[in-house]
Amino acid sequence: MARNTEIKARIADLDALARRVAPLATTGPTEIAQDDTFFACPHGRLKLRDFGDGRGELIFYQRADQTGPKTSFYAITPTGSPDTLREVLTLAHGQTGRVVKQRTLYLVGRTRVHLDRVEGLGTFMELEVVLRDGEPVEAGEREAHDLMQQLGIEPAQLIDRAYVDMSHPRHLARRHC
């Protein structure tokens, strides 16, 4: 499975952060609408991401709920029929939550910087440092910390859970996807 090191932080002024990210970025900004449906999954998280244009991705991932950099293991499968796949997965596993967001993506080297406006939750930033096969996790953690510092992200802004857990707190105890 692919891996990345990621952090998530609550952001009061997303526009100000965008102005700090833009000069560092090698690519972006790219606007992406995302509608994520989560399904029951005993060993991680399973979500279907619908881009609203007939494309989607089924994403399985495992990561700890903790503040600061954390390693995420993930697998992604594209789909050309997210609506039909959502129906099948709902019948088979049941939905455990839904998160709708508008994401602005920047690439800073190999790090994906997501500026997110999440319906019902507010504004956030995610950093995902994509790790190479066999690369130590510590390298990604250092890169995430360095970029946090460059962007002025304080440790007190970091959050320890997925958006779905923030909007559907019952999932924390049940460890649904």
Side-chain angles (χ1 to χ4, degrees):
M1 270 197 293
R3 303 177 299 143
N4 65 34
T5 298
E6 60 184 70
I7 64 128
K8 188 180 313 236
R10 187 173 291 279
I11 304 298
D13 187 346
L14 217 51
D15 294 329
L17 182 58
R19 289 190 295 275
R20 290 192 300 272
V21 173
L24 304 173
T26 51
T27 304
T30 304
E31 296 296 325
I32 308 167
Q34 296 181 344
D35 181 348
D36 294 345
T37 303
F38 289 77
F39 304 94
C41 177
H43 304 290
R45 298 173 193 264
L46 183 66
K47 68 182 171 185
L48 175 65
R49 175 163 288 158
D50 186 339
F51 295 107
D53 61 1
R55 295 177 309 114
E57 297 173 334
L58 184 62
I59 304 167
F60 170 78
Y61 66 100
Q62 296 174 315
R63 74 160 185 254
D65 288 330
Q66 65 187 43
T67 57
K70 51 196 150 279
T71 303
S72 178
F73 298 89
Y74 62 94
I76 300 174
T77 299
T79 180
S81 55
D83 291 334
T84 304
L85 185 54
R86 181 182 299 107
E87 286 179 34
V88 170
L89 288 168
T90 298
L91 290 169
H93 299 282
Q95 289 186 23
T96 61
R98 198 150 183 183
V99 175
V100 177
K101 63 184 170 282
Q102 182 63 41
R103 171 167 279 178
T104 304
L105 168 67
Y106 293 88
L107 292 178
V108 177
R110 65 176 175 165
T111 301
R112 296 185 293 247
V113 180
H114 304 146
L115 306 184
D116 293 337
R117 296 178 194 281
V118 184
E119 283 186 15
L121 293 179
T123 53
F124 302 86
M125 180 213 58
E126 287 184 350
L127 299 179
E128 295 178 348
V129 182
V130 179
L131 299 172
R132 294 180 293 277
D133 286 343
E135 182 176 19
V137 171
E138 295 79 18
E141 291 174 353
R142 278 192 304 277
E143 212 166 305
H145 278 296
D146 289 347
L147 192 50
M148 281 174 52
Q149 186 174 26
Q150 290 177 60
L151 296 175
I153 304 301
E154 299 295 327
Q157 293 175 264
L158 299 180
I159 57 176
D160 64 351
R161 59 193 60 166
Y163 298 139
V164 70
D165 294 335
M166 295 169 67
S167 59
H168 300 84
R170 71 183 185 275
H171 299 188
L172 289 174
R174 294 170 51 196
R175 288 301 303 153
H176 285 281
C177 302

